[in-house]
Amino acid sequence: KQEVTQIPAALSVPEGENLVLNCSFTDSAIYNLQWFRQDPGKGLTSLLLIQSSQREQTSGRLNASLDKSSGRSTLYIAASQPGDSATYLCAASTDSWGKLQFGAGTQVVVTP
Amino acid sequence: SAVISQKPSRDICQRGTSLTIQCQVDSQVTMMFWYRQQPGQSLTLIATANQGSEATYESGFVIDKFPISRPNLTFSTLTVSNMSPEDSSIYLCSVDQGGGTEAFFGQGTRLTVV
């Protein structure tokens, strides 16, 4: 069974610093890996989707890498802002129909 | 992309009662998924709902407790039956267009059982 782990569980940085969030998975036979953002009491917002054939994806200040052989993905957020404060979740899909296995998340606080 | 509306957004229910959560999508989708997020924890998949067939439940979840309907390609309901305080969670529905595309989530239903 696929297991997804996120380290660290919590992270606090001053505004302007770059954020590095780690995600590891036990089964390298993933279909894709997705990063989400969750604000308190809210649903999930999709940030980036990386297909298994891709090494990275970028959107604005966000960049996510994928290394299937080592079972790792990393989300980089450049020049963090207080509005980036949220919980970030990674999720791995092992089929094409979207069933996701989630990590426990990294809670990020960006201080002004 | 897909826009998902979930109702209700929150509810407080008495133990022993049932609550039905609705999920409406603005486009036709093959698969819909129901997740549970217990307090302070990550999301766990409850079941996959495919239109025209019975839902497929994950280990630890049973149809008698979480009956699901999927009457068409844009709508699904999840019922939490015979509730206990341990059912207090956020319940989220999700859709995927298949083929490894992006998953989209509703805003969730925050359920408190007293």
Side-chain angles (χ1 to χ4, degrees), chain B residues 78-99:
Chain B
L78 169 75
T79 298
V80 186
S81 303
N82 189 24
M83 289 183 285
S84 67
E86 292 70 36
D87 294 319
S88 297
S89 298
I90 299 175
Y91 293 86
L92 299 107
C93 95
S94 170
V95 303
D96 187 289
Q97 300 283 17

Side-chain angles (χ1 to χ4, degrees), chain A residues 38 41 46 51 96-97 99 103, chain B residues 33 37 42 45 99-100 102 110:
Chain A
Q38 185 175 33
S46 176
Q51 301 290 356
S96 65
W97 288 108
K99 190 163 74 171
Chain B
F33 304 89
Q37 186 175 30
S42 192
L45 181 64
E102 202 173 356
R110 181 180 291 273

Side-chain angles (χ1 to χ4, degrees), chain A residues 58-102:
Chain A
T58 299
S59 176
R61 294 185 295 113
L62 276 60
N63 174 276
S65 66
L66 176 64
D67 184 345
K68 281 178 39 178
S69 61
S70 66
R72 293 182 184 179
S73 177
T74 302
L75 178 66
Y76 302 89
I77 303 177
S80 61
Q81 304 168 358
D84 294 329
S85 299
T87 296
Y88 292 82
L89 298 159
C90 73
S93 176
T94 52
D95 61 44
S96 65
W97 288 108
K99 190 163 74 171
L100 298 173
Q101 184 69 39
F102 280 85

